[in-house]
């Protein structure tokens, strides 16, 4: 099968359907209240990279939000396999979404929760070209669910990204409640300061990204409280997310940074092994 | 017609439909990214209270988020009239939702935006009984779109409300990025301190609520920067929102507050005239 048909199917509550049948109810709280979670997974062409880590993150977040997971990781894996079958040998982005399901008017959880889960797939190729970033004035609520988890309440990230693009930059850096660096609108931040590669702490507003977690687990980076002034001190910098992996930064505001393959390889060479 | 059928119809992109036909696409950014806005209006049984103020707020927020409004206020009014016709003489809550519409994967706005707008109606009677409130540890990102506008990215409010209920209180008070009082999870806060009725500022994280705006316009309340310590100083307190109007608070944390009809009448008597 070719890439052309990729995205013609979705996985919705346990069934593979045509994308045209992919609809949710107007009263789904994922839509009305941003009450849900998502994961974006990278399909290498052969495998869903870091699938177990994505499932662990989703499971932890769903537990914190008290949204029961309607499927086991095994069942989710076989559902997603129904989508990736069309992308054999071709890389793709797979998005998995969980909502609290239909609810009556108002904020209280439904008396009987019937969560909705669905997944979509789209052609995707990771970019390794270096990018530019700028700080925006949209802050993250450090410690709040929308900062700690990858939730459907993502509008601040959307607008932060849009603001950065409007200023001529590729990506936005967001700060936490107390002005400390948090993360980019859809990626984590790494700063190399005197040979130590540091990434903002979750309690400062950083989303606990998958690549970030993998790098931390391999002791390739360390968590730290980072201030905007650290952007002027770092010798190298990068953004990380599940789709692009580690992506170098060549410019922070008006400051040009060197892009070094050696430096990147320190991180990437040990990441996928 | 009786109340029983209320909620059997929806208004979707300009048409009155059966609620069973109320579906949105899985790729609608309102669902995938919380990328949209909503208004909750009170139908008195005869009229949609403060309709113009709701439309002005929606219009301002939509402009800030660069979501084109697909209908004029006149067209929206006639659409909502199709829903409220079933509630002649019976009060109800009308929810109007606007999304940025279907988008491809990722944060950038769609190249061609086709916003979606829909409305639902549900039976509703305002409550005037006094309520209890407690501060929760979920903060609002002061100044961010999700704080300044009534957006679909509402999960932090959902969880704040849930946290307060779990602690045995009716409602949650949320603080802004710098610890100052902001608003409740679905209402604004009023504190009477030595005869002055004060409400937290929008720049401190307060949502610019409709009742709050009406009270400000009538000089019945004033904006101020309020600290959690002010909760111990106030002589009276209330929450306001479009559905319940002004609702007295009888308890803040473990502190009991007097509930006075005279005090409430100072606010309510001039609000709906």
């Amino acid at each position: 099968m070719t890439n052309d048909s990729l995205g013609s199917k979705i996985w919705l509550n346990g069934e593979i359907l045509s994308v045209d049948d992919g609809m949710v109810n107007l009263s789904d709280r994922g839509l009305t209240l941003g009450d849900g979670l998502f994961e974006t997974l990278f399909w290498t062409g052969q495998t869903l990279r870091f699938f177990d880590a994505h499932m662990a993150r989703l499971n932890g977040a769903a537990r914190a939000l008290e949204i029961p997971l309607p499927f086991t990781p095994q069942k989710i894996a076989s559902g997603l396999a129904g989508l990736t079958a069309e992308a054999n040998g071709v890389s793709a982005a797979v998005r998995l979404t969980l909502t609290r399901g239909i609810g009556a008017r108002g904020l209280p959880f439904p008396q009987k929760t019937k969560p909705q889960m669905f997944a979509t797939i789209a052609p995707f190729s990771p970019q390794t070209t270096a990018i530019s970033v700028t700080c925006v004035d949209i802050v993250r609520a450090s410690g709040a669910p929308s900062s700690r988890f990858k939730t459907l309440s993502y509008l601040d990230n959307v607008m932060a990204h849009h603001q950065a693009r409007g200023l001529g930059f590729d990506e936005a850096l967001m700060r936490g409640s107390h002005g400390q660096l948090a993360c980019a609108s859809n990626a984590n931040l790494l700063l190399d300061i005197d040979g130590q590669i540091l990434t903002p702490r979750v309690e400062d507003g950083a989303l606990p990204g998958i690549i970030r977690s993998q790098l931390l687990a391999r002791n390739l980076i360390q968590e730290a409280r980072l201030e905007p002034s650290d952007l002027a001190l770092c010798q190298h910098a990068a953004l990380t997310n599940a789709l692009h992996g580690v992506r170098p930064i060549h410019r922070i505001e008006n400051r040009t940074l060197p892009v070094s393959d050696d430096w990147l390889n320190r991180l990437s060479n040990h990441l996928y092994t």
Side-chain angles (χ1 to χ4, degrees), chain A:
Chain A
M1 231 174 265
T2 71
N3 210 350
D4 294 348
S5 67
L6 198 60
S8 66
K9 292 197 166 51
I10 56 158
W11 181 66
L12 175 60
N13 294 323
E15 283 183 87
I16 297 283
L17 300 174
S18 159
V19 70
D20 301 325
D21 296 322
M23 305 291 278
V24 298
N25 195 284
L26 285 191
S27 297
D28 190 290
R29 290 169 60 105
L31 173 64
T32 58
L33 298 168
D35 192 0
L37 295 161
F38 72 104
E39 293 288 332
T40 308
L41 299 94
F42 179 57
W43 168 253
T44 64
Q46 268 83 45
T47 184
L48 282 170
R49 188 171 272 168
F50 301 131
F51 176 79
D52 292 345
H54 281 285
M55 287 304 104
R57 181 171 70 174
L58 179 65
N59 188 46
R63 198 175 302 162
L65 300 183
E66 300 178 37
I67 304 177
L69 277 184
F71 300 107
T72 62
Q74 293 72 24
K75 182 87 187 179
I76 294 169
S78 74
L80 300 186
L83 295 183
T84 54
E86 288 194 277
N88 197 3
V90 182
S91 67
V94 173
R95 179 179 154 131
L96 179 68
T97 303
L98 172 71
T99 81
R100 203 185 299 276
I102 291 177
R105 207 196 59 69
L107 302 190
F109 295 176
Q111 295 215 315
K112 204 167 161 8
T113 298
K114 198 181 160 199
Q116 302 286 298
M117 185 176 260
F118 60 88
T120 53
I121 187 167
F124 176 80
S125 300
Q127 301 293 312
T128 52
T129 51
I131 56 176
S132 60
V133 299
T134 186
C135 283
V136 296
D137 61 6
I138 298 173
V139 297
R140 291 170 67 82
S142 303
S146 63
S147 287
R148 283 162 57 211
F149 308 120
K150 202 164 172 77
T151 80
L152 299 180
S153 289
Y154 221 65
L155 178 62
D156 287 344
N157 299 55
V158 168
M159 296 310 295
H161 185 83
H162 183 70
Q163 204 177 96
R165 289 288 179 100
L167 294 168
F169 292 82
D170 297 310
E171 251 297 346
L173 295 183
M174 301 175 78
R175 283 162 287 189
S177 298
H178 304 291
Q180 65 282 41
L181 295 173
C183 54
S185 70
N186 62 7
N188 287 109
L189 175 67
L190 309 184
L191 298 184
D192 185 334
I193 300 180
D194 301 332
Q196 259 213 315
I197 305 181
L198 304 172
T199 193
R201 305 180 304 178
V202 172
E203 58 261 51
D204 291 335
L207 185 89
I210 295 294
I211 298 292
R212 174 186 182 278
S213 300
Q214 297 293 325
L215 292 169
L216 283 169
R218 289 164 177 73
N219 285 316
L220 293 165
I221 64 173
Q222 275 78 45
E223 279 190 305
R225 179 171 176 135
L226 293 172
E227 304 293 338
S229 57
D230 290 317
L231 296 172
L233 299 179
C234 65
Q235 287 92 38
H236 296 282
L239 296 185
T240 67
N241 72 15
L243 290 183
H244 290 291
V246 183
R247 204 166 174 193
I249 293 172
H250 71 83
R251 186 154 70 96
I252 302 177
E253 313 289 358
N254 291 321
R255 180 176 175 235
T256 301
L257 282 180
V259 173
S260 146
D261 282 346
D262 279 354
W263 184 80
L264 279 174
N265 288 340
R266 268 176 65 186
L267 297 168
S268 299
N269 282 354
H270 301 280
L271 186 57
Y272 306 120
T273 53

